[in-house]
Amino acid sequence: MIDRLRSHLKSEKGFTLIELLVVIAIIAILVVIVVVAINPVERLRESTDRAAAANVRATGTLLSACMTKVLSLSTPGTYSDCDTQAELDTYTLGKIPTTAPTVTVASTATDLCASAPGRVVGAVTTTWFYRHSSGAVSSQVTAFTC
């Protein structure tokens, strides 16, 4: 009887439960390593930053075009002539894409600005901004003011 059982076990092919559990554990460890290496939360934050910077950069181009048009009028306008979407559309004749919904445009007596919120870490938000006077897109962690 025992001889028949031994011969039957030797002829059976397959994996034991322990072998399957070891393989599953190895796969789980590899998945954890890949997820930690990719860091999806950080990638999401970076994509938010890139989108905000791109939106502000596009709006900066729009603001520059608007100011060029406003200043070339027979009666030159001021910075406040380019601080709403309707005015940007009017003065740029729709040739440049409209501002993104997250971008805020503001004007002072001496400058024109655009800002958009970027990555949020804890309670701190990085703000991307464009100043017409400098023509540069940059970011800052503190609250943005034109």
Side-chain angles (χ1 to χ4, degrees):
M1 176 79 163
I2 292 179
D3 289 335
R4 277 194 305 163
L5 186 57
R6 283 187 184 157
S7 67
H8 178 68
L9 288 177
K10 287 182 183 179
S11 66
E12 287 294 315
K13 303 292 182 198
F15 296 106
T16 65
L17 179 61
I18 298 296
E19 289 171 330
L20 290 174
L21 289 175
V22 168
V23 169
I24 291 171
I26 291 171
I27 291 172
I29 290 170
L30 292 174
V31 166
V32 168
I33 289 171
V34 168
V35 168
V36 168
I38 291 174
N39 195 355
V41 172
E42 184 63 24
R43 297 296 155 264
L44 185 60
R45 288 179 183 156
E46 287 175 1
S47 70
T48 302
D49 260 0
R50 283 191 295 273
N55 289 343
V56 169
R57 191 171 289 113
T59 303
T61 303
L62 189 67
L63 295 175
S64 295
C66 184
M67 281 310 299
T68 301
K69 183 74 172 179
V70 165
L71 295 176
S72 69
L73 296 173
S74 57
T75 307
T78 63
Y79 289 107
S80 63
D81 291 329
C82 293
D83 63 2
T84 68
Q85 184 66 55
E87 291 161 343
L88 290 173
D89 290 343
T90 299
Y91 287 113
T92 57
L93 304 175
K95 293 181 180 175
I96 300 174
T98 58
T99 58
T102 60
V103 177
T104 302
V105 178
S107 65
T108 63
T110 58
D111 208 355
L112 193 59
C113 309
S115 64
R119 73 171 56 204
V120 178
V121 179
V124 179
T125 301
T126 301
T127 300
W128 288 85
F129 64 93
Y130 166 88
R131 290 186 195 275
H132 183 262
S133 58
S134 67
V137 174
S138 55
S139 67
Q140 63 186 34
V141 176
T142 58
F144 172 81
T145 56
C146 185

